[in-house]
Amino acid sequence: QVQLVESGGGLVQAGGSLRLSCAASRLTFSGYFMGWFRQTPGKEREFVAAISWTGSNTYYADSVKGRFTASRDNAENTVSLQMNSLKPEDTAVYYCAASARRPRVGEHLPRDSDYDYWGQGTQVTVSS
């Protein structure tokens, strides 16, 4: 059974940084497009970032562009999200997800329905 396990969440002051990691097991990791999503109570899960199979292409929501950076290590089966200049509105549960879909060149997968596997989530809280 495929497992995605997030870690690295926590409480941080506005302007601070956190680094989320997601460890994948029981899948051919390099064959999966990876995404990060977040969700707050009462709201739909929203796209944050995505990274292509080799890590050569990354995609970001406008709200995090320039502050968040996605990366992956296919040798270690991990994907990470470096979050800098955090804002209180970044407070959410963050999820990593894996997709076996093959988007066209230059396109990515911003919908949660595009993803096949999900982690359990990790809480990020940014205080003002």
Side-chain angles (χ1 to χ4, degrees):
Q1 185 176 350
V2 172
Q3 277 194 318
L4 300 176
V5 180
E6 301 96 337
S7 61
L11 173 64
V12 65
Q13 287 189 332
S17 299
L18 281 175
R19 184 176 181 87
L20 305 183
S21 293
C22 173
S25 59
R26 303 189 183 100
L27 80 170
T28 306
F29 184 69
S30 60
Y32 284 80
F33 206 94
M34 298 300 294
W36 286 96
F37 289 75
R38 66 188 181 187
Q39 189 171 26
T40 54
K43 293 188 177 181
E44 292 187 354
R45 195 155 44 188
E46 66 169 349
F47 171 78
V48 175
I51 185 166
S52 62
W53 308 275
T54 63
S56 58
N57 293 296
T58 51
Y59 310 89
Y60 301 95
D62 287 343
S63 58
V64 307
K65 202 171 293 184
R67 301 188 297 122
F68 290 12
T69 303
S71 60
R72 66 189 293 164
D73 185 338
N74 286 346
E76 297 292 331
N77 285 8
T78 58
V79 60
S80 298
L81 185 68
Q82 177 66 42
M83 306 187 296
N84 298 329
S85 303
L86 283 162
K87 304 175 181 180
E89 51 264 42
D90 293 319
T91 295
V93 177
Y94 283 72
Y95 300 89
C96 73
S99 175
R101 292 175 182 261
R102 314 295 285 186
R104 298 176 182 177
V105 173
E107 294 185 350
H108 68 293
L109 302 172
R111 300 175 303 178
D112 57 4
S113 59
D114 290 329
Y115 291 80
D116 305 294
Y117 303 105
W118 292 85
Q120 82 289 350
T122 186
Q123 176 70 47
V124 170
T125 303
V126 184
S127 63
S128 57

